[in-house]
Amino acid sequence: MVKVSILVQGIVQGVGFRPTVYRIAKEMGLGGSVRNLGNSVEIVLEGSKEEIKQFIKNLKQNKPPISKITKLEIKWQKNKEENEFGDFVILESSAEFSGSSVIPPDVAICDKCLKEVMNKGNSRYNYPFTACTDCGPRFTVINSIPYDRERTSMDEFPLCDECMIEYKDPLDRRYHAEATCCSECGPTVFLYKDGVMEEKYPIIEAVKLINEGNILAVKGIGGTHLVTKTTDEEPVDTLRKRLGRLNQPFACMSPDIKTIKTFAEVRSYEEEVLTSRRRPIVVLNKNEDYYLTPSVSPLLHNLGVMMPYSGLHHLLFKYSDEPAYTMTSANKPGEPMMVDNKEIIGRLDDVADYYLLHDRKIVNRCDDSVIRFRAGDLAFIRRSRGYVPEPYDFSGIADDINILALGPELDVTFALLKDKKCYVSQHIGNTTKYETYKYLQKAIDYMMRITRTENIDVIACDLHPMFFTTKLAYELSEKFECDVFGVQHHHAHAGALYVDHGIDELICIAADGVGYGDDGTAWGGEILHSTRHKYKRTGCLMPHMMAGGDLTTKYPIRMVVSMLYNQLNPEELKNLMKNEYVHYFRHGEKEVDLVLKQLERGFNITETTSTGRVLDAISALLGICGERTYEGECAMKLESVAYYGQNTVDIPVKIRNYMGMDVVDTSSILISVLENKETGKSINDIACSAQSAVASGLAQLGIKAARKTGVNIIGGSGGVFYNEAISKTIRDSVLENGFQFIQHKNSCAGDGSVSLGQAAIAAMHYKLN
């Protein structure tokens, strides 16, 4: 007879782990105990060595569905007294802390709970907050650890007698399910319009209001959505006007896969993710029978779709025949999603017609995650609800060091490295907005508290001196008396690929809109030989002037003029702009003259190698998009036009030497686009061929760098790699030339994982120094 102590780390609290341990131990007749220990689960057992080994095997095979074991620490000892325990018991949680906290993410309502919600004979019939240890909110309700009810926002809802019986029964799936409740003791949902509306069935009434064409603000698990029907143009168009988002695609929610397939293409791997317990938004291609109103996703070939993930969502569709509802985040442009009832009502009074709210506090707002597949390869556009705050394993990257990485400026997340686990935050957003900047600081404080991080050794940030996150880095460095470590933007992209693939060297093709280069210019089409914490720039897209600086990002016709300035004589260029593109200039012909003078005199000019700006220029030159009203609009619309075309137009790719470095001559690509357009060739085919040319040029540079350095792995990162055609063209070219190609698989290709890469680069630097 021996005694053993097992410390289990991972996602093991709030997921039904203790009752699973209890059931296995009881079935095997083992004595001992189990308890939450700060951030881990401690199991003490008495039995023979063979029995205990079998127990561990059974636990690994039968652990709860949303749990994750990352580490088992087993301490064997001789048992001085046989039958010391007698029975197996579940002890009260201890606040004693060991190791790093792993807080479980929110997950979708499970089938058992949903069955209860839909069963007229069940006490939880039509109750939208039904949950158990296998499902429901976690991250969005936790105030502190250990994860017990009194440390969540559910502490305001004492359990009724019936729920308490379930809560205290180790054999019940609601044993210590901290979010469990029923209509007698749990949160209440209500309709609001100039006061709380006296509605016996507020969800049924909400559905009627939506189907009548009203816009509803619906408070959910981790935030609030603006909801309209999608089969009528008028409510969607009204929502756009009220929000000021005239063109940006809205995500939508549909009740089931069968319905989604009536308007979108769903491949097997997309269906698997759509129906998973994480329930992200998945970007799907519209099918030939697409019938939702065009304004849901205007002038794009795809749209973001998710399935219901809460009881409330399922009930909305239970009483509706609509195939989908818009489910766009309820926030002012660039600001955080609203979670507080007073704020929702007060700040959305000019947007929403009615409000479907509830009285449970959202501790942590958490936007929906967004995923897109490129030729079968998954990439996060946003890694948030359902995934955060699951950490990344840095055991092969970092020593015992605490690093806070603050990300870039737009699409910000931050990352906290502690005990070789890197916790990347939920989506934060645009930190140039004051409310978002405050949210960032609040979220950092929370993450440090929940992981019991008291000190920071290094703060990593972007090189851009004017970013608010850079300024915050220096403020926090004074508070923690620690170093600030700057990481070049595209090197951070490479760092995220390190983490995803367990490597420390690659040729990184970094293609995006902008990243501050180490020479002070705007990079965005880079070939980097990245080796651990160092990198060398080996190639790029041809540098171009940007007439008016950031104005070119909003009005890409300015980028067209800049790129063609040295290709056409001034008079020819002026006539082209005034005769065919003057409508793209806000101030007409006068602005054409002004832009040409800026380029001539070098006034208010910045330099860029951005792939995003090149794609924008192609989009404008082809008459596809002349003004960016949301991030990535011009390039996204170019991709959608190209989707219906063929790569049949001859657009040569020229590699030149520029200041000792290989560059893709993107001006020659633009000239070729113009020439083919003037000959009357299909705009769809030109768009497809032009995208392919840009991709081919980047691939050639990457392959050339790999051959020169002897590196076998070429990786793609940056927002351009969300473009399926470009991503596939580069991948196929790399593979055809005998190299390995990698992309993001558990992180964002865009800026959402820059903080992760910053943390990795900083950790490698301090490990070696």
Side-chain angles (χ1 to χ4, degrees), residues 52 56 144 243 433 567 688 696 714:
I52 291 171
I56 294 170
S144 61
L243 279 175
K433 300 287 185 178
Q567 303 297 313
C688 181
S696 176
I714 299 175

Side-chain angles (χ1 to χ4, degrees), residues 381-411:
I381 295 175
R382 180 194 298 154
R383 182 182 180 271
S384 200
R385 177 190 51 77
Y387 299 89
V388 168
E390 284 185 16
Y392 293 86
D393 181 10
F394 269 43
S395 57
I397 295 174
D399 286 329
D400 290 326
I401 187 172
N402 292 352
I403 296 175
L404 176 63
L406 298 180
E409 186 167 60
L410 304 178
D411 292 328

